């Protein structure tokens, strides 16, 4: 029996379009009609599978591009804040702190001017390398520092300037070493974030839903900074941690204690 012709295509909006106007006819028997509708169903399933695979790849690439832009924006935000803090320190005017000490020895452009307080904090932070507490009481690293192959897209890499730590819902995010809050800021992809100064070193705590500190505030080790953000779509609670020395990005895994 002649089953006619069927046309399956995607319109400009990516929706599935099936044209079977030249398909089944009045004079075809019931068996032919049944074969025709079975054929149509199989073709529709086939087309939808192809469309789904296309959409998945396209969405993954779009999301990746968006995430990279937001990561670049976060990196620029942090870098600009650190550079500003270094300049302020060289002028003896740290952000949020009054400091009129004129006995300041200037160092390189990438480090804060040396004062006894700065030197002590820097040495203390450095001496605790590999022993600093985690920013959350319970957690696992779900994305490491550096460049990695994308889990879905072939020949595509992703870059992380810190570590992403999965934790429990509404987890308290804590300062990993004593220091001073430089800035509280926001980023579309990482929500609220806090930059803390530890002498020549800086730590960044991002992807926070709430912040409990303010610029200029002195913090002790394990002082609560805020609350980790929970993605309502995935149910995942995550905090993003970065470590910098001046304007140089460091691997946080080298600084926090090993589980």
């Amino acid at each position: 029996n002649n089953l006619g012709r069927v046309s399956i295509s995607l319109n400009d909006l990516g929706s599935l379009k099936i044209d079977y106007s030249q398909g089944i006819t009045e004079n075809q028997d019931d068996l032919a009609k049944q074969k025709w509708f079975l054929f149509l169903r199989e073709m529709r399933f086939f087309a939808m599978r192809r469309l789904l695979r296309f959409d998945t790849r396209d969405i993954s690439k779009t999301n990746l591009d968006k995430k990279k832009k937001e990561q670049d924006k976060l990196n620029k935000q942090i870098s600009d804040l650190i550079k500003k803090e270094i300049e302020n320190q060289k002028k003896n005017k740290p952000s949020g702190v009054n400091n009129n000490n004129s006995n300041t020895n200037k160092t390189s452009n990438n480090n804060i001017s040396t004062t006894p307080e700065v030197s002590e904090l820097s040495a203390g932070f450095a001496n605790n390398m590999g022993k600093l507490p985690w920013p959350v009481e319970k957690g696992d690293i779900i994305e490491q520092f550096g460049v990695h192959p994308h889990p879905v897209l072939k020949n595509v890499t992703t870059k992380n300037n810190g570590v992403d730590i999965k934790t429990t819902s509404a987890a308290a995010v804590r300062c990993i070493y004593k220091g001073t809050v430089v800035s509280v800021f926001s980023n579309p992809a990482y929500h609220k974030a806090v930059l803390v100064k530890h002498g020549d070193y800086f730590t960044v705590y991002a992807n926070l839903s709430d912040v409990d500190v303010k610029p200029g505030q002195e913090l002790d080790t394990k002082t609560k900074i805020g609350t980790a953000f929970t993605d309502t779509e995935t149910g995942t609670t995550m905090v993003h941690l970065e470590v910098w020395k001046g304007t140089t990005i460091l691997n946080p895994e080298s600084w926090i204690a090993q589980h």
Side-chain angles (χ1 to χ4, degrees), residues 1-251:
N1 296 316
N2 179 25
L3 294 180
R5 290 181 295 173
V6 61
S7 173
I8 301 178
S9 61
L10 297 176
N11 65 17
D12 292 339
L13 298 178
S15 299
L16 187 67
K17 179 182 179 182
I18 300 180
D19 180 9
Y20 49 87
S21 58
Q22 300 184 52
I24 196 165
T25 61
E26 291 290 337
N27 60 356
Q28 287 180 308
D29 58 26
D30 290 340
L31 180 60
K33 291 179 181 179
Q34 185 179 15
K35 289 182 178 180
W36 170 252
F37 286 117
L38 287 174
F39 170 74
L40 263 183
R41 187 178 65 178
E42 291 299 320
M43 290 300 294
R44 183 178 179 85
F45 287 162
F46 171 78
M48 289 302 294
R49 287 196 298 269
R50 293 294 299 270
L51 178 61
L52 180 61
R53 286 199 295 268
F54 171 79
D55 284 347
T56 300
R57 290 193 298 268
D58 186 57
I59 291 171
S60 296
K61 187 64 169 62
T62 301
N63 288 343
L64 181 64
D65 291 340
K66 182 179 179 180
K67 183 177 180 180
K68 184 179 184 304
K69 288 180 181 178
E70 297 302 344
Q71 286 177 327
D72 291 342
K73 181 178 179 179
L74 179 66
N75 183 66
K76 186 177 188 307
Q77 285 177 298
I78 297 168
S79 180
D80 289 346
L81 286 168
I82 291 175
K83 289 176 181 177
K84 182 179 179 181
E85 180 63 22
I86 291 174
E87 290 303 314
N88 286 337
Q89 183 68 32
K90 288 179 179 180
K91 297 174 183 177
N92 297 320
K93 296 179 182 179
S95 297
V97 180
N98 293 322
N99 184 355
N100 296 318
N101 183 4
S102 60
N103 297 321
T104 300
N105 297 318
K106 294 186 177 181
T107 59
S108 71
N109 291 332
N110 291 332
N111 294 313
I112 290 179
S113 303
T114 301
T115 65
E117 293 81 6
V118 169
S119 297
E120 182 180 354
L121 272 174
S122 300
F125 193 93
N127 289 337
N128 280 279
M129 183 177 184
K131 297 179 289 184
L132 294 171
W134 282 50
V136 288
E137 287 188 4
K138 298 179 180 179
D140 296 295
I141 293 175
I142 57 175
E143 185 171 335
Q144 295 178 304
F145 175 85
V147 179
H148 312 282
H150 191 275
V152 176
L153 302 175
K154 294 182 179 180
N155 302 318
V156 175
T157 58
T158 61
K159 182 180 180 182
N160 194 339
N161 285 339
V163 292
D164 295 339
I165 302 173
K166 182 179 180 180
T167 185
T168 56
S169 177
V173 179
R174 315 170 302 177
C175 187
I176 65 173
Y177 193 73
K178 63 182 180 179
T180 305
V181 178
V182 174
S183 179
V184 176
F185 59 103
S186 61
N187 178 280
Y190 291 92
H191 307 284
K192 297 178 181 179
V194 177
L195 175 66
V196 180
K197 176 180 66 176
H198 318 273
D200 283 335
Y201 294 89
F202 295 85
T203 51
V204 181
Y205 311 81
N207 207 51
L208 308 178
S209 60
D210 298 298
V211 173
D212 298 334
V213 297
K214 58 185 179 180
Q217 183 175 339
E218 299 288 336
L219 306 178
D220 290 325
T221 302
K222 294 187 178 181
T223 296
K224 183 182 177 184
I225 288 175
T227 305
F229 179 85
T230 300
D231 189 318
T232 55
E233 293 185 3
T234 64
T236 300
T237 304
M238 184 271 289
V239 61
H240 177 77
L241 173 69
E242 295 188 16
V243 178
W244 295 59
K245 182 177 184 183
T247 55
T248 301
I249 305 171
L250 306 176
N251 184 354

